[in-house]
Amino acid sequence: MKAYVKSILLSLFFTCLLPFNVAADEVTDVVNDVAAKLVQQLPMDKKIALKSLSPDETGLPESFLRQLVSETEAALMSKSAFGIKLLNRTSTEQIWEDAIEFGDADFDQLYAASKAEILLILDAQAAATGLTMNYTAYALDGDESGRVIASSGVVRVDIDLEKAIGIN
């Protein structure tokens, strides 16, 4: 099962990267810098779920948000020397849908494997000068539930969104 999940995650990651290579080139350095700072703040012994706000909330296309989340996931893994316990919620939700649709997975096992103790939310917004991103990590369990554990603050990325992804 783990090999199946890993291969699906890798294929989703590379599929999401293809449409926006130009944007990825301009955003990669910023995402890597933010990931390096977040790795210093996040507890490596806790399971962390990574999710972005929806296209309706951000005004950005779903495919671009998926690319940002995948880029963030790769950067966090790299900066933590693969020590971080990270779940990409977007990929996880797609795997759940496929597994349930084809009926070849145990729901209780999927749920147990996806339970996280921290939620890291990416809030990316189109701005006049390009893109703003803010990462905030919240505790999900116990007395600490809802408490902010880590935050990147607002990070601005100078990128021509119209040229990169067709947003004016």
Side-chain angles (χ1 to χ4, degrees):
M1 174 76 175
K2 286 184 180 183
Y4 174 75
V5 172
K6 283 183 182 179
S7 64
I8 288 176
L9 288 175
L10 284 173
S11 66
L12 284 171
F13 174 73
F14 289 118
T15 301
C16 291
L17 284 180
L18 292 177
F20 300 107
N21 284 333
V22 172
D25 291 342
E26 296 176 8
V27 175
T28 300
D29 289 341
V30 174
V31 171
N32 282 329
D33 290 344
V34 170
K37 293 174 186 171
L38 286 173
V39 164
Q40 306 261 330
Q41 299 175 48
L42 293 169
M44 293 295 115
D45 62 332
K46 304 239 182 208
K47 198 180 288 187
I48 302 166
L50 172 61
K51 184 167 179 70
S52 74
L53 295 181
S54 72
D56 292 337
E57 295 169 301
T58 64
L60 296 167
E62 182 178 355
S63 54
F64 184 71
L65 290 172
R66 284 181 181 271
Q67 182 238 344
L68 281 176
V69 170
S70 293
E71 185 81 22
T72 302
E73 178 182 24
L76 287 169
M77 294 297 278
S78 174
K79 297 299 178 186
S80 70
F82 296 91
I84 194 168
K85 297 175 185 174
L86 192 63
L87 299 166
N88 181 333
R89 274 290 186 229
T90 307
S91 298
T92 304
E93 289 167 3
Q94 184 63 47
I95 291 167
W96 277 35
E97 287 175 19
D98 292 346
I100 291 169
E101 179 180 341
F102 296 110
D104 61 350
D106 178 8
F107 180 79
D108 292 331
Q109 186 179 16
L110 285 173
Y111 177 76
S114 69
K115 190 174 179 187
E117 299 162 284
I118 296 171
L119 177 60
L120 179 60
I121 297 178
L122 165 60
D123 179 3
Q125 304 283 330
T129 59
L131 181 69
T132 62
M133 297 186 303
N134 181 27
Y135 294 87
T136 308
Y138 298 94
L140 294 178
D141 59 352
D143 294 337
E144 300 290 311
S145 183
R147 184 176 68 87
V148 174
I149 295 175
S151 178
S152 67
V154 175
V155 180
R156 299 187 195 291
V157 182
D158 291 328
I159 183 173
D160 184 349
L161 290 175
E162 186 171 6
K163 182 181 175 184
I165 60 175
I167 290 181
N168 188 347

